[in-house]
Amino acid sequence: MTGDLLKLNQWLSPAFPVGGFAYSHGLEQAIDAGGIQSADDLFVWLSDVLRHGSGLSDAVFLCVTHSGRDVLNEYRAMAPSKERLEEAEAQGAAFAQTVSHLLPDPVADGPLPIAIGHAARHLSLSTSQVTAFYLHSFVSNLISAAVRFVPLGQTDGQLVLARLHPIILQIASTAQTMGIDQIGTAALGSDMAAMKHETMEVRLFRS
């Protein structure tokens, strides 16, 4: 199991070539509009995304995929914006291309949580473990974006991440008990930021 944890950590590390550094999940627009100006603002934003937005919904899709179901069409139909879908699919395709060289069977292209759920079937890890590591990687990338763009100090970023750990564990546990028909998001600020990001004249991130 230790070896499989190392494999999962490799797949979800910043060094794995999925291009995650290029995406802010709408965070850039929220920062530009003045909605996030401090570490506390960032913590509240990310907490809502995890509990009520794409954090929970992506976790459910990962769990269902890990259990063996094909939910690709459902994921695409439920994407809240064009950029959000492009973000998930571009990173998922890059992940699948690389991880397929590391596994006995190829992983098909798909949105990132689905591609990870598929690949993780090869690991002797629980669904909640895989989901927790995925969510940790997800918010770590967004914190890295905020550290560069708010800007925040590196220590502030790490303190925000540490405060999110209990929420990550809670969502990872909850998601494995849910089905696709139970997904309902209410992180409207995050979804609207992702939509408005498409029209920003100057931007550093692709989403």
Side-chain angles (χ1 to χ4, degrees):
M1 182 176 291
T2 300
D4 282 348
L5 278 173
L6 288 176
K7 290 177 184 178
L8 183 62
N9 189 59
Q10 177 185 353
W11 298 353
L12 297 175
S13 77
F16 210 75
V18 299
F21 62 87
Y23 299 92
S24 80
H25 209 67
L27 195 63
E28 180 178 24
Q29 194 282 330
I31 295 169
D32 186 67
I36 299 174
Q37 301 182 27
S38 67
D40 285 340
D41 291 341
L42 180 63
F43 172 75
V44 171
W45 182 275
L46 294 179
S47 297
D48 286 346
V49 170
L50 283 171
R51 289 193 176 108
H52 310 299
S54 54
L56 176 59
S57 60
D58 280 3
V60 175
F61 275 106
L62 191 158
C63 291
V64 173
T65 301
H66 191 240
S67 71
R69 283 186 55 197
D70 178 6
V71 289
L72 177 59
N73 290 334
E74 289 90 337
Y75 188 98
R76 288 172 173 161
M78 296 176 70
S81 71
K82 173 176 174 285
E83 278 198 359
R84 281 278 180 83
L85 182 58
E86 290 177 349
E87 172 185 331
E89 293 206 315
Q91 292 187 71
F95 173 84
Q97 180 178 359
T98 303
V99 82
S100 291
H101 292 284
L102 306 175
L103 295 172
D105 300 310
V107 173
D109 289 357
L112 186 59
I114 288 180
I116 291 172
H118 186 180
R121 295 177 198 168
H122 294 274
L123 306 178
S124 57
L125 300 175
S126 70
T127 301
S128 62
Q129 284 178 303
V130 175
T131 306
F133 272 78
Y134 167 76
L135 291 173
H136 189 274
S137 174
F138 168 67
V139 294
S140 294
N141 185 66
L142 298 186
I143 289 170
S144 177
V147 165
R148 287 175 278 161
F149 195 61
V150 170
L152 296 177
Q154 295 285 351
T155 300
D156 284 338
Q158 290 304 308
L159 288 170
V160 170
L161 182 57
R163 290 174 66 189
L164 290 171
H165 284 176
I167 300 172
I168 289 171
L169 293 174
Q170 176 192 3
I171 298 302
S173 176
T174 299
Q176 65 179 335
T177 68
M178 295 174 60
I180 301 301
D181 59 345
Q182 294 175 282
I183 293 177
T185 63
L188 301 182
S190 175
D191 291 343
M192 291 299 295
M195 296 175 193
K196 291 178 180 178
H197 188 271
E198 298 178 18
T199 63
M200 289 181 67
E201 292 185 7
V202 178
R203 54 188 186 173
L204 302 177
F205 297 90
R206 294 182 62 183
S207 72

